[in-house]
Amino acid sequence: MGFLEFLLLLFIAGVCGSIGQAIAGYSRGGCVVSIVLGFIGALLGTWLSEQLGLPELLNVNIGGNTFPIIWSIIGSVIFVVIVGLLTKKN
């Protein structure tokens, strides 16, 4: 994977993390947090889809690696909601 492919992967993960934060309605941090959420969402969403026997949706192939767009967004929404519930201040 080259440098430009790596930057593209970071960009896509950041967009997926940002969409996940927007859907969940809970935002913490900036670009770096969105990128991390995109990758965590991809891991969580892919694991969840495998456990439930669901198909992979809208995969993007970057430098020989696939990145699941839809599952990344779904996983990041789930992760953001859980973090929001655990860190919510009264």
Side-chain angles (χ1 to χ4, degrees):
M1 176 180 294
F3 182 69
L4 290 177
E5 293 166 336
F6 180 70
L7 287 178
L8 182 61
L9 184 63
L10 289 178
F11 177 75
I12 292 172
V15 169
C16 290
S18 296
I19 292 171
Q21 284 181 340
I23 292 172
Y26 186 78
S27 179
R28 273 241 206 261
C31 288
V32 175
V33 172
S34 294
I35 291 170
V36 171
L37 281 174
F39 282 117
I40 291 173
L43 292 173
L44 181 63
T46 303
W47 177 80
L48 186 64
S49 71
E50 288 174 0
Q51 297 301 313
L52 298 174
L54 299 172
E56 293 186 13
L57 303 171
L58 193 59
N59 287 337
V60 176
N61 189 358
I62 301 171
N65 299 320
T66 58
F67 189 82
I69 300 290
I70 300 297
W71 290 117
S72 176
I73 294 171
I74 292 170
S76 63
V77 167
I78 292 169
F79 187 73
V80 169
V81 166
I82 291 170
V83 169
L85 290 174
L86 293 177
T87 61
K88 192 147 195 146
K89 295 180 181 178
N90 293 328

